[in-house]
Amino acid sequence: MTGHADVNEAVERAAAAGARWRATPAEERVGVLEGVGDALLKHAEELWPAAHAETHLGEVRLRGEIARTAAQFRLFAEVLRDGAHLDAVVDHPDPQATPPRPDVRRMNQPLGVVGVFSASNFPFAFSVAGGDTVSALAAGCPVVVKAHEGHPETSDLTAAVVRQALPDPDLLGLVHGFEAGGALVRHPLVTAVGFTGSIAGGRAVQRMIDERPVPIPFYGELGSVNPVVVLPSADPAAVASGFAASLTLGVGQFCTNPGLVFVPEEGGFERAIGAAVAATTGGRMLTAKIREGYLRGVGRLDDRTGEGGLAVLASGTAGEAEDAVTPRVFSTGLDAFAGGLPELGEECFGPAAVVVRYRDAAGLPAVLDRLPGSLTATVHASDAEEARDLVPSLRRLAGRLIWNGWPTGVAVCWAMHHGGPWPATTTPAHTSVGAASIRRWLTPVAYQDWPAELLPPELRDDNPLGVPRRVDGRLVL
């Protein structure tokens, strides 16, 4: 465990390294990010076995996750090359305007030290070298990570690999333990916090931030049921097989796991889903704490069976491990489900879901509007017109809308949005995956009538770095 003095030292060293990092030209930072990505791939033979020993996720999954993590570093190298994240704006003076306009120039600049809480379910992509870390480094911010207790050795090894590729190893600090997390959030030099975890954990972090003399931004990804709406024109067999695979992927330990499925009463959808889930196998969960939470969630649903029409639709098999869990799917009617809200709409993290039968899709918007915010919402249909009346509700409900696909799997790309209304994320306008996630760690600064020689290069009239800018209202690429 990391003591308070060690947390203080890590943050102070990060702040000192950050002052030099933010002054490093963007092209040099591009090379550093690409170098970190290369280092992760180079050390994959050391990294994945360490992660498997702690998480039991397997070689194929972990190798893929290391590749994804490296890709995140390459993506943000491209973000820096592009320069649009700076949102550079130049308004020249206009003495004829009413009132007269001074010379005003604005661009985004890094906040400072960022505290990051690792997630349990992605020991690479949402951990020490994960999306929060790389986006903060790309923004020009140093990072101090609170390692997840589920993979401490993997965290140490990953940090060592990343630090070797950084110009200053103090740009990435690493602390361990519950108390260290609290000390990190409270440290006066920490300027923002990124968090991926439970609603309870997110609330605890928010309370600590609220108690600070100077509150700071908190970007938390907390919980999501990721509703799926199946319309009559969909193929029952395809929906059932796809759902069962998505539900049980990684033993259901994905933030985008489909935990709620609305299906027509007619067409055999419910029967097909039950058969597909009955053929699945569960497995060992990442930590004992996560397993206990899953069992409590399933127990909560079991306690409601026979009450208001909720029933067990199907159970898979547990698998060979002694502490493996079983996939479970429950079912009920739309009216009964609506009557059981909000409890029936709560997330059960793991391979469990509720299937809701409806007679008429016209009744769905009223129920969708009562659901908690989600990262994703999915529609399955072969006729787009069937979904037209659902679109307004889905847009309010989730940050990513999926057509004839499944929410598990989040592409690392420019357009991706991985956020949504509470409790999916604490700030639905921001994403934790994709190029736009860099904006969490930036703050705008405007320079009014500032001497040209003191302006950042990106705001000088000659624009020596060639970044895209809006000049006197016109976008100049």
Side-chain angles (χ1 to χ4, degrees):
M1 299 298 107
T2 308
H4 281 226
D6 295 322
V7 173
N8 183 63
E9 181 180 5
V11 174
E12 289 187 346
R13 292 171 73 94
R20 298 183 291 272
W21 178 242
R22 69 189 298 169
T24 301
E27 192 55 40
E28 291 184 32
R29 283 189 274 143
V30 165
V32 171
L33 296 183
E34 291 176 334
V36 174
D38 292 343
L40 290 168
L41 294 177
K42 179 182 177 182
H43 290 273
E45 297 300 330
E46 306 162 42
L47 291 168
W48 81 257
H52 175 66
E54 293 182 309
T55 67
H56 317 289
L57 287 174
E59 179 179 355
V60 174
R61 155 71 191 273
L62 291 169
R63 282 187 181 276
E65 193 180 328
I66 292 170
R68 172 204 167 115
T69 306
Q72 291 177 157
F73 278 88
R74 289 194 293 270
L75 172 66
F76 280 99
E78 291 302 314
V79 170
L80 290 187
R81 281 198 182 97
D82 177 85
H85 68 286
L86 297 171
D87 194 21
V89 183
V90 175
D91 280 326
H92 290 104
D94 182 0
Q96 305 305 316
T98 305
R101 187 178 73 204
D103 185 287
V104 182
R105 303 170 187 231
R106 188 197 72 211
M107 65 177 283
N108 292 329
Q109 300 192 30
L111 282 172
V113 179
V114 170
V116 169
F117 282 71
S118 293
S120 62
N121 54 345
F122 283 88
F124 298 111
F126 281 81
S127 188
V128 173
D132 287 353
T133 295
V134 61
S135 59
L137 287 172
C141 298
V143 178
V144 178
V145 178
K146 187 270 181 186
H148 195 277
E149 62 272 17
H151 46 262
E153 298 299 328
T154 304
S155 299
D156 287 337
L157 181 57
T158 303
V161 169
V162 174
R163 285 167 175 159
Q164 290 173 11
L166 294 174
D168 186 336
D170 289 337
L171 283 170
L172 177 62
L174 182 64
V175 300
H176 293 266
F178 179 81
E179 294 299 327
L184 179 62
V185 172
R186 296 184 179 97
H187 199 287
L189 292 180
V190 171
T191 60
V193 172
F195 174 92
T196 302
S198 67
I199 294 176
R203 287 187 186 277
V205 173
Q206 185 65 70
R207 282 194 297 271
M208 287 187 283
I209 289 175
D210 292 341
E211 292 167 358
R212 288 173 49 116
V214 179
I216 56 176
F218 174 48
Y219 300 104
E221 180 193 323
L222 308 183
S224 185
V225 293
N226 304 299
V228 177
V229 177
V230 179
L231 295 169
S233 63
D235 176 13
V239 166
S241 61
F243 167 70
S246 184
L247 177 75
T248 57
L249 184 65
V251 200
Q253 296 167 112
F254 283 69
C255 52
T256 51
N257 203 46
L260 189 57
V261 188
F262 296 88
V263 301
E265 285 186 357
E266 305 295 330
F269 290 95
E270 184 179 10
R271 182 172 61 254
I273 287 173
V277 172
T280 64
T281 302
R284 193 173 184 180
M285 302 194 85
L286 290 162
T287 67
K289 184 177 179 181
I290 292 174
R291 180 178 183 271
E292 291 166 4
Y294 174 71
L295 295 178
R296 282 197 304 272
V298 169
R300 171 176 53 83
L301 292 171
D302 272 328
D303 289 343
R304 296 184 67 110
T305 56
E307 175 187 322
L310 186 69
V312 176
L313 176 60
S315 296
T317 56
E320 297 179 1
E322 183 179 344
D323 54 354
V325 298
T326 302
R328 300 286 303 280
V329 176
F330 300 79
S331 66
T332 190
L334 184 63
D335 290 342
F337 175 78
L341 289 174
E343 289 81 6
L344 290 183
E346 294 177 2
E347 179 187 29
C348 178
F349 189 70
V354 176
V355 174
V356 181
R357 303 177 303 274
Y358 66 87
R359 183 172 295 116
D360 186 348
L364 290 175
V367 177
L368 293 173
D369 289 343
R370 295 179 57 195
L371 295 181
S374 275
L375 294 167
T376 72
T378 301
V379 175
H380 280 268
S382 60
D383 179 2
E385 284 302 314
E386 284 184 325
R388 186 173 297 279
D389 292 341
L390 300 178
V391 173
S393 294
L394 297 176
R395 278 200 298 245
R396 289 191 294 269
L397 177 60
R400 176 163 59 108
L401 306 183
I402 301 161
W403 185 264
N404 284 345
W406 295 98
T408 41
V410 184
V412 180
C413 61
W414 288 80
M416 179 52 63
H417 182 73
H418 191 60
W422 172 270
T425 50
T426 56
T427 53
H430 291 272
T431 176
S432 62
V433 179
S437 62
I438 194 173
R439 297 183 180 275
R440 295 173 297 168
W441 322 120
L442 296 166
T443 186
V445 176
Y447 300 82
Q448 182 172 324
D449 292 329
W450 205 247
E453 59 270 27
L454 296 182
L455 283 170
E458 296 87 348
L459 294 181
R460 295 173 190 166
D461 283 336
D462 59 350
N463 191 13
L465 302 181
V467 301
R469 309 190 303 183
R470 186 169 295 278
V471 180
D472 296 328
R474 297 185 61 185
L475 185 63
V476 180
L477 301 178

